[in-house]
Amino acid sequence: MFGAHSRAQTAAAYIRYLYPKAVLESYLVNNDEQNADSIDGVPVIRLSQNAELNRNYPVVLGTRSVYHAAIVQELQNLGMQNIYPITVELDLKLRNAYLNAYFSGIGRRFAKINDTDTLGEPSGKDQGEMQACIYVAKSIFDKPLKKDAFLADYEKIIQVGAALTKERLEEHGVLDSSGENISDRNRQFCELTGLYWIWKHAKEDIVGLVHYRRHFLLPEDWEERMRRYKIDVILPVPLYVAPSVEGNYRNRHVSEDWDIMLAYLKQHDSSRFHHVKEVFAGNLYCPCNMFIMKKEILNVLCNWMFPIIETVVKRQGMRTDVYQNRYPGFLSERLITLFFEMYRNQYNIVYADKNFLP
């Protein structure tokens, strides 16, 4: 496996679970980043002409695709020919195959909005027409897309961080700065300022949140399917992270944020704290703060989640590191996952793949 960080470890987990006879010989790296000597007993080897490697072994590239061409050339220069990049398409295929096998193994349904065979029996009851809107979070500070992207008729741009600028994306667009809002906190809360506005102001029966670069891959009749199969929530297909949801956060972000969040959950919901620890000890979470759900469920989620985030922010404040300053959004990804794990027997939850627009 080329790479030793989260992408590589995730790809390795998918492959080892799906192909139990496969043996991971090593993780390969070619830079001076901080790398462990081994990962779960598998050695991490620095590439060089002197590295003792079997040139006949296949090498899977578990890095960002922008590095693939250079890595392939380097590996070929070392005599390796069986090279398999994890492309977006292959990652999607492996992730779905893994989740289908994993959920089946623990006796749970892995239901996807685009696969009616997984949705159960349709309801004979007509729930009637429901208004739906998926809000697309976009800021004037965002980098432009390489190609123009067209919104679906059910999508609507919400300008996040609108309070921080006089520039407007659309003449009469939705602004997260109207009415009750936290728009001026966008540099720290990111798309959560849009989520807050949707919670406080959206009137649609079904609401969603996506990003200008990330959209759900939905069938044309997804709204009808929500009604026909009595679906309450659509979440992005879960992502596997190592060593666990909690461990992954601690490795990538500031551990004290996590400690404060856990303390809040233990104090305010001690009877279910064992479930909290169980979910965070697992390896799956729904990334990107993306969702589609009935508005009344969003209200329950936000009433529960925002006080937790505010408690952490009150203690931790602002950070000079721009990336780590976004910790409210990193925590909310894990909290949304936790919320729907706690309520998975109460709500009908299905999943959808998402894209990424360069």
Side-chain angles (χ1 to χ4, degrees), residues 132-148:
C133 180
I134 299 179
Y135 291 88
V136 182
K138 193 174 191 318
S139 163
I140 65 145
F141 306 108
D142 291 328
K143 294 180 180 178
L145 297 171
K146 290 183 178 179
K147 293 182 180 178
D148 289 337

Side-chain angles (χ1 to χ4, degrees), residues 217-244:
L217 301 175
L218 299 169
E220 289 185 4
D221 63 341
W222 69 271
E223 295 174 65
E224 181 186 342
R225 292 187 186 195
M226 283 194 75
R227 295 194 301 270
R228 192 178 351 138
Y229 292 93
K230 300 180 75 173
I231 294 168
D232 297 309
V233 182
I234 302 174
L235 295 175
V237 169
L239 173 68
Y240 179 101
V241 289
S244 64

Side-chain angles (χ1 to χ4, degrees), residues 30 41-42 46 49 61 66-68 72 101-102 112 134 153 203 221 240 270 272 288 292 336 348-349:
N30 68 345
V42 178
R46 173 71 183 263
Q49 293 291 341
L61 306 189
V66 294
Y67 303 126
H68 285 176
V72 168
Y102 175 77
K112 296 190 66 181
I134 299 179
D153 56 6
K203 303 300 182 186
D221 63 341
Y240 179 101
S270 58
R272 291 192 297 189
C288 301
I292 303 167
I336 289 172
N348 184 10
I349 302 166

